[in-house]
Amino acid sequence: MLATRVFRLVGNRALSTSICLRGGHGVAKVEDYTLPAYFDRRESPLPDIKFVQQLSPEQKSLKEKEKGSWAALSKEEKIALYRISFKESFAEMNKGTGEWKSVVAGIFFFIGFTGLVVLWQRKYVYGDVPHTFDPEYKQKEVQRMLDMRINPVEGFSAKWDYENNAWKK
Amino acid sequence: MSLPKPAMRGLLAKRLRFHLPIAFGLSLIAAAAFKFTVTEPRKQAYADFYKHYDSTKEFNAMREAGVFESVRPTGK
């Protein structure tokens, strides 16, 4: 008997909190989340309950009219009946949010911020580069590579003209 | 409400019939392009380099530049 009482309340969210303790044990309070819920989801198009639970008097009379021939319903009435059963149409629930713009903006912002951090680091954190980066030292390195004939076929030394001691034009 | 029945079978086969020839063709083109832009010029470059290569002359030039440890430059 208690079970049928609960079943009668399925789909009627307004009464979900009205059950209270009775006598020694009573009926457990039926939580909202345990009842069937309404949701707009593309993959399951027909939710467990209608969207509007408490119908206004016009909506009630519309529901009565729905029991007759549907050809007699006007366009606005059909739309009103749809909105009783569903919250958002498929077009409304599927439309994009434009969230990607915020995401891209955040990406650019933090990349820029990282650039500032890197600049600060180069100035205040890093020490001098080794002496091997001096131009004179680099020149001696290049000369030694040419002397050793590094990649003489297609690479480094291939671009040096050994007869005229200059880079090939 | 009489829509035509959609294709229920052979979907992968149909896709492969379309895409496999294209895949093969593009792969062959990629291989041919690589062969004729990279490997053939490279083979030619090596052939040209060694056609008139005097190894003794190159060795002596490197020796004079002082890059070897086994032989010092002449005149030391």
Side-chain angles (χ1 to χ4, degrees):
Chain A
M1 191 227 150
L2 286 169
T4 56
R5 250 193 123 147
V6 175
F7 277 143
R8 239 194 297 133
L9 292 158
V10 159
N12 209 335
R13 289 151 79 156
L15 291 181
S16 67
T17 53
S18 71
I19 305 178
C20 40
L21 289 169
R22 202 164 45 105
H25 302 274
V27 181
K29 183 153 134 354
V30 179
E31 298 289 338
D32 239 353
Y33 60 80
T34 59
L35 299 168
Y38 179 83
F39 50 82
D40 279 317
R41 235 173 268 152
R42 187 168 61 182
E43 53 271 9
S44 36
L46 298 173
D48 300 331
I49 56 171
K50 298 201 181 320
F51 178 52
V52 178
Q53 296 297 312
Q54 293 87 12
L55 297 174
S56 70
E58 307 92 55
Q59 288 174 324
K60 285 205 180 97
S61 63
L62 194 54
K63 278 289 184 190
E64 288 303 314
K65 196 172 171 198
E66 192 192 11
K67 292 181 184 164
S69 162
W70 286 347
L73 294 169
S74 75
K75 195 160 101 113
E76 291 80 19
E77 286 171 337
K78 288 179 190 165
I79 293 176
L81 282 168
Y82 181 86
R83 290 292 173 185
I84 291 174
S85 301
F86 302 103
K87 178 163 175 264
E88 280 186 327
S89 70
F90 268 76
E92 287 162 5
M93 83 166 85
N94 287 339
K95 83 173 174 240
T97 57
E99 187 191 4
W100 65 272
K101 296 179 207 165
S102 315
V103 171
V104 169
I107 290 172
F108 287 150
F109 176 79
F110 280 108
I111 290 177
F113 180 72
T114 307
L116 289 175
V117 170
V118 166
L119 283 179
W120 180 87
Q121 266 187 332
R122 294 185 93 203
K123 188 157 193 290
Y124 289 103
V125 176
Y126 295 142
D128 287 332
V129 292
H131 70 99
T132 52
F133 283 79
D134 297 339
E136 300 82 23
Y137 195 95
K138 280 297 178 212
Q139 220 171 347
K140 289 192 214 156
E141 270 184 6
V142 169
Q143 183 59 57
R144 190 171 157 77
M145 282 170 75
L146 291 170
D147 291 340
M148 289 196 284
R149 309 292 193 271
I150 297 291
N151 285 337
V153 181
E154 281 194 315
F156 192 71
S157 306
K159 302 198 168 76
W160 179 258
D161 188 356
Y162 282 96
E163 313 295 322
N164 304 325
N165 243 354
W167 291 109
K168 287 186 186 166
K169 301 290 175 279
Chain B
M1 264 289 234
S2 58
L3 297 166
K5 183 176 174 184
M8 308 290 269
R9 293 156 176 260
L11 298 164
L12 179 63
K14 180 170 162 215
R15 179 187 168 80
L16 285 179
R17 250 169 48 94
F18 178 74
H19 280 103
L20 270 178
I22 295 176
F24 268 96
L26 285 179
S27 310
L28 285 173
I29 289 174
F34 189 81
K35 183 185 174 74
F36 288 114
T37 56
V38 177
T39 61
E40 287 304 316
R42 186 169 288 167
K43 278 152 72 173
Q44 193 57 40
Y46 273 79
D48 294 338
F49 180 79
Y50 282 110
K51 198 185 322 195
H52 303 293
Y53 183 67
D54 187 358
S55 53
T56 321
K57 174 169 155 248
E58 293 292 320
F59 168 75
N60 284 321
M62 285 197 255
R63 175 186 180 172
E64 297 312 316
V67 295
F68 291 128
E69 293 180 359
S70 47
V71 282
R72 299 269 185 254
T74 55
K76 267 296 155 49

